[in-house]
Amino acid sequence: MSIKERSGAEKFWYAVLCVCLGSGYFSKVPLKKAMSEYGMCEMTGGEKFWYVVQCICFGAGYFRKVVYKKGMSESNG
């Protein structure tokens, strides 16, 4: 087997990592956007990019951010 070839197990676990970790990363981006609008943190360049991509995709990032901001505003009481 050459160094460029991956075993079946490596291909499987790579796919799992992409699905699980990618979804976790994309889930945190709208929350981080909401927090940044409250001045609680700053977004990285990558997070800003992916937030825009999520907004382009049917507004998914924006709609999630709205829910997070609503929850944060109610918890500040």
Side-chain angles (χ1 to χ4, degrees):
M1 179 176 358
S2 77
I3 197 148
K4 292 183 180 182
E5 293 177 24
R6 292 180 292 153
S7 69
E10 289 170 333
K11 290 176 185 177
F12 171 78
W13 286 112
Y14 179 75
V16 170
L17 287 170
C18 288
V19 171
C20 295
L21 297 179
S23 66
Y25 179 79
F26 292 137
S27 294
K28 84 168 185 163
V29 171
L31 175 59
K32 205 150 173 210
K33 175 65 174 170
M35 292 172 64
S36 72
E37 289 183 2
Y38 275 111
M40 299 170 69
C41 69
E42 289 188 32
M43 295 178 72
T44 65
E47 289 165 339
K48 290 176 185 176
F49 170 80
W50 286 113
Y51 178 72
V52 170
V53 170
Q54 286 181 352
C55 288
I56 291 170
C57 297
F58 307 108
Y62 179 77
F63 292 133
R64 290 187 71 193
K65 179 200 72 157
V66 169
V67 171
Y68 291 140
K69 275 187 82 170
K70 175 70 173 159
M72 289 169 46
S73 70
E74 291 176 356
S75 67
N76 288 334

